[in-house]
Amino acid sequence: MFDGLKDKLSGFRKDVEENAEVEEPAEQDETEAAESAAAESAEADQPTESEAETVEASDAGGASDGAAGGDAADDADGADAADDNEPSTFQRAKAFATGRIIIEEEDLEQPLWDLEMALLESDVEMSVAERILDTVREKMLGESRKQVETTGELVESALHDALLDVIAVGQFDFEERIAAADKPVTVVFTGVNGVGKTTSIAKLSEWLADRGYSSVMANGDTYRAGANEQIQEHADRLDRELISHDQGGDPAAVIYDGVEYAEAHDIDVVLGDTAGRLHTSDDLMAQLEKIDRVVDPDMTLFVDEAVAGQDAVNRAKEFNDAAEIDGAILTKADADSSGGAAISVAYVTGKPILFLGTGQGYDDLTLFEPEELVESLLGEE
Ligand SMILES: Nc1nc2c(ncn2[C@@H]2O[C@H](COP(=O)(O)OP(=O)(O)O)[C@@H](O)[C@H]2O)c(=O)[nH]1
Ligand SMILES: [Mg+2]
């Protein structure tokens, strides 16, 4: 799951690590020291060979313009290796001990550009990619930089915060919401055809049963031939009640019947399926609007497939605009390596992803945990 994105994020870490090494404070101090020593020796005109400082100075002068020349340079060469390395190693150790890693803005430019390209290639929505970059830049260059031991850690902590910031938008505890709501709780599922709405209803029915909640399914997909039979099969297998009308009937009426059934039989949750048609279809949107009016669902969940990437993100936005959603279920995450939809949907809609579909079995529904996802994206394995 999301392996492609994982690789790209670790590519960014490596990029920054390579660039940052050049800019550690130890190296800067050394350069400054060499420069000021060189200036002193220029004033002194003829270098005195006895002092280590002078050896370093003539060394630096020789490297830049060869002005030191002559005997002094020859002598300096002999002492070169030892004297040149010692302060640098010492200072570098000191820099690591204090945990200060200096990363200059220009060192981040190329890695950040590469990261942006990688995110966009992974189907992360543009505004989401930009937000991630802004956070990473701010965390890595800002004053509030944490004390960390390595550049890798600094990158990881910046990426962690940046990803969590966009992924965790609007998160709430689904089970708590169900527990707290007056029963029956009516949940309506929207989304285009073939993305896994009906399967997700069956899975969620099972997920709820595992937590002690009873549920009834109501087939508001009165549009598609065979829809009743398909959901009936799930209901039979799971031993759930299904409320359905004939094909062509009024979806709002079916779900309304589902609510009445739940009230009469003390059922906790009504799971209302709807027809998946083009999100641009006025007819469908009118249907959803009627369901909203007649049934007044407690929750509307938008379902789409993670593998649809950018398309799923766009549809989430459009469905949310047409019939406001409370959250999303991303299916087929088991087949998705890009991870773009999983990262983008919440930020773009302002509504959280609540579940991931991770296979075709009834148990293949995982509660979406932003922190867990971020950790797995940044994980080593
Ligand atoms: N691999 C995988 N397949 C899924 C998942 N969810 C649904 N599917 C499959 O996607 C297809 C369409 O699902 P369906 O529930 O009929 O979609 P609907 O038209 O939105 O109701 C079916 O073959 C499902 O088995 C998932 O999480 N992973
Ligand atoms: Mg269906």
Side-chain angles (χ1 to χ4, degrees), residues 156-287:
E156 192 153 326
S157 123
L159 276 178
H160 172 277
D161 293 356
L163 289 169
L164 199 61
D165 168 61
V166 293
I167 294 176
V169 171
Q171 274 295 318
F172 63 84
D173 187 321
F174 180 78
E175 190 177 350
E176 231 167 61
R177 182 79 62 99
I178 294 287
D182 288 342
K183 307 296 182 300
V185 187
T186 309
V187 186
V188 167
F189 294 73
T190 64
V192 298
N193 199 26
V195 292
K197 286 185 301 300
T198 305
T199 312
S200 295
I201 285 173
K203 288 176 178 177
L204 193 61
S205 175
E206 196 60 355
W207 190 91
L208 289 165
D210 286 346
R211 285 152 186 82
Y213 298 99
S214 55
S215 60
V216 57
M217 305 180 191
N219 186 24
D221 181 358
T222 55
Y223 180 77
R224 208 166 51 83
N228 276 342
E229 289 73 11
Q230 190 201 356
I231 194 170
Q232 184 70 57
E233 211 171 288
H234 289 305
D236 288 347
R237 264 191 239 147
L238 295 170
D239 198 21
R240 303 287 133 77
E241 193 63 36
L242 170 73
I243 309 300
S244 60
H245 290 185
D246 289 342
Q247 193 187 350
D250 178 359
V254 186
I255 299 174
Y256 187 83
D257 282 358
V259 177
E260 292 220 306
Y261 179 91
E263 279 168 354
H265 295 83
D266 214 13
I267 304 272
D268 298 316
V269 183
V270 180
L271 300 169
D273 207 350
T274 61
R277 266 181 281 166
L278 266 188
H279 46 300
T280 47
S281 154
D282 291 344
D283 194 26
L284 171 72
M285 292 309 172
Q287 270 182 18

Side-chain angles (χ1 to χ4, degrees), residues 30 49 51-63 72-89:
E30 187 197 356
E49 289 160 46
E51 284 168 30
E53 199 184 293
T54 319
V55 171
E56 203 186 353
S58 64
D59 192 31
D74 288 340
D75 286 341
D77 278 345
D80 197 71
D83 281 338
D84 201 29
N85 283 340
E86 256 181 76
S88 157
T89 310

